Amino acid sequence: MAPIYSRVNDLSNSTWSKTLLDEPLLTGRPTKHIGNKNKEGDEATKVLQLVCNEIDKLEFSGTHHPYYTRPLLEAACQNAYKVVDEILYRSPEAIQSTDKSGYDIIQLAIIHRSDKIYKRIYDTGERKNLYRTVEDSSKNNILHLAARLAPSHELNRRRCAALQLQHELQWREEVKKHIYPTYITRENIFKETPDMVFSREHEQLVKEGENWMKTTAESCSITAALIATIMFAAAITVPGGNRQETGIPMFTNNVAFIIFAVSDAISLFASSTALLVFLTILTARFAENDFLVSLPIRMLIGLVALLLSTIVMMVAFSATLFLVFCHKKLWMIAPICVLAFIPIGFTTTFWLI
């Protein structure tokens, strides 16, 4: 919070200013005085309104209060949309504020991936048509700015390079919707189109995303192949064996055997599907646009199929364990289910985190 309101330091002799700068209410960090997020949000809103009330009491010259300039620009960089809403409500002219590089809040929001601020200002602002054509000193339009690599703190919100690149592509597509078609291929003073800027800025991220995709697909392919092999062998050598006269399994009419047979088939088909999907990933071309939909969808399908095959494999093993070793002791179902849930629960939890 301190960076947002550092310009209010001139008011340090007042009590509210000292309290605001000492308490990190607007940073989202837990404090000793706030027990939950809702209360924290209410306190932050009160402090924000208190600061704005004190600023409004000060005299100024120009179209808007100078003390609103830096907080507004900093809020645009940090996606603090409540701060932007409050300042623009009190001083609509503050939307004209620019930083040392000449960027206004919509340009800063695009550069720093502040999606909430971008959508609010662009969808409701009277300067919508101006934003479609606005350019900086290097003749970069807003699509050029969206093509730049996101700040590291924004990239680190995604767990891997592939998802980071996907988010970058999604952001470019979002900005592209709100720009005139002629500006999509317009060059800046360096003779670069927005697509050229994106390729240059994200060259390393594309390589990292490709390496992550291949490494993950290779590891998961080995696991899927192992599960498929195990379940195929289990389908041939059914628990209890077969009758010598007819070749029919001994426990055909047993409920536990039916559960085993169905689970074995599902696990075999799911692992085979996962194996084939991961093979399509390993043989992909890994172009930039492939990371937008194609590759993430393939990876998602492969991981879901692999997770399903693992879960159903544990069900098949539990049914076999009950069928062969428990001798129809129903009380054994409880400990078997508990033990089977341990790897399933851990696997599901870790993949969803």
Side-chain angles (χ1 to χ4, degrees):
M1 187 220 56
I4 298 180
Y5 293 99
S6 59
R7 289 295 296 274
V8 191
N9 281 330
D10 295 337
L11 306 175
S12 58
N13 54 351
S14 58
T15 305
W16 63 268
S17 176
K18 183 177 183 302
T19 303
L20 177 62
L21 294 174
D22 289 341
E23 293 295 335
L25 293 175
L26 295 179
T27 59
R29 300 172 185 171
T31 65
K32 297 180 180 179
H33 306 289
I34 300 175
N36 53 64
K37 291 183 178 180
N38 292 332
K39 185 178 180 181
E40 181 179 350
D42 294 339
E43 293 291 337
T45 301
K46 292 179 181 178
V47 173
L48 174 61
Q49 294 174 350
L50 181 61
V51 171
C52 292
N53 290 337
E54 294 297 327
I55 292 178
D56 290 340
K57 295 178 182 178
L58 301 176
E59 296 181 357
F60 68 94
S61 60
T63 58
H64 62 278
H65 205 298
Y67 283 140
Y68 280 138
T69 300
R70 184 172 176 181
L72 182 64
L73 297 176
E74 189 68 23
C77 295
Q78 298 183 12
N79 206 19
Y81 63 93
K82 290 185 177 180
V83 177
V84 173
D85 287 346
E86 185 68 23
I87 292 177
L88 293 183
Y89 173 75
R90 294 170 179 267
S91 179
E93 295 81 6
I95 197 173
Q96 302 174 10
S97 302
T98 58
D99 64 359
K100 295 179 180 179
S101 300
Y103 293 134
D104 58 14
I105 58 175
I106 193 69
Q107 291 172 312
L108 291 175
I110 291 173
I111 294 173
H112 293 272
R113 309 302 190 258
S114 301
D115 56 333
K116 294 180 180 178
I117 293 176
Y118 171 75
K119 292 177 181 178
R120 283 169 179 260
I121 295 178
Y122 192 90
D123 292 342
T124 60
E126 298 178 355
R127 293 152 55 95
K128 177 184 293 188
N129 291 329
L130 176 61
Y131 291 140
R132 295 175 185 266
T133 59
V134 65
E135 294 179 341
D136 62 10
S137 58
S138 299
K139 293 187 177 180
N140 291 310
N141 57 47
I142 59 175
L143 194 56
H144 281 98
L145 302 181
R148 294 181 181 179
L149 185 66
S152 58
H153 66 85
E154 180 66 25
L155 287 176
N156 292 335
R157 293 185 179 182
R158 280 82 194 171
R159 66 180 66 186
C160 65
L163 295 181
Q164 293 171 358
L165 183 56
Q166 182 191 33
H167 184 263
E168 291 288 272
L169 290 165
Q170 290 172 341
W171 182 247
R172 184 182 67 172
E173 295 300 316
E174 177 65 25
V175 175
K176 188 181 293 186
K177 296 177 183 177
H178 304 119
I179 195 172
Y180 290 128
T182 56
Y183 280 76
I184 295 177
T185 57
R186 176 163 294 191
E187 297 180 345
N188 56 19
I189 62 174
F190 305 106
K191 303 299 180 180
E192 290 181 321
T193 63
D195 288 342
M196 294 170 63
V197 174
F198 188 92
S199 298
R200 174 173 53 80
E201 292 275 332
H202 296 81
E203 181 179 2
Q204 184 61 32
L205 192 61
V206 171
K207 294 180 180 178
E208 293 176 1
E210 179 180 351
N211 291 335
W212 182 87
M213 279 280 187
K214 287 184 176 180
T215 302
T216 304
E218 288 175 357
S219 302
C220 292
S221 295
I222 295 174
T223 305
L226 180 62
I227 294 176
T229 302
I230 294 173
M231 303 316 294
F232 181 78
I236 297 177
T237 58
V238 294
N242 303 323
R243 294 186 176 88
Q244 294 183 355
E245 300 82 6
T246 61
I248 299 176
M250 297 289 294
F251 299 116
T252 302
N253 298 324
N254 196 298
V255 176
F257 182 83
I258 297 176
I259 295 175
F260 160 78
V262 174
S263 302
D264 185 276
I266 295 175
S267 181
L268 179 59
F269 296 147
S271 59
S272 300
T273 301
L275 180 59
L276 294 175
V277 172
F278 290 130
L279 288 178
T280 63
I281 294 177
L282 292 174
T283 57
R285 61 175 182 169
F286 292 100
E288 284 178 6
N289 292 329
D290 291 342
F291 286 90
L292 181 60
V293 177
S294 176
L295 289 175
I297 287 295
R298 294 185 198 181
M299 181 62 70
L300 179 62
I301 293 175
L303 291 176
V304 170
L306 182 59
L307 179 61
L308 176 63
S309 66
T310 304
I311 294 175
V312 181
M313 179 183 65
M314 294 304 302
V315 174
F317 174 77
S318 301
T320 302
L321 190 65
F322 176 79
L323 187 64
V324 176
F325 298 103
C326 296
H327 304 290
K328 297 183 180 181
K329 298 177 182 178
L330 297 180
W331 64 270
M332 291 294 294
I333 296 178
I336 291 176
C337 292
V338 172
L339 292 175
F341 180 78
I342 293 176
I344 295 175
F346 274 112
T347 303
T348 307
T349 301
F350 291 150
W351 280 21
L352 294 178
I353 291 178

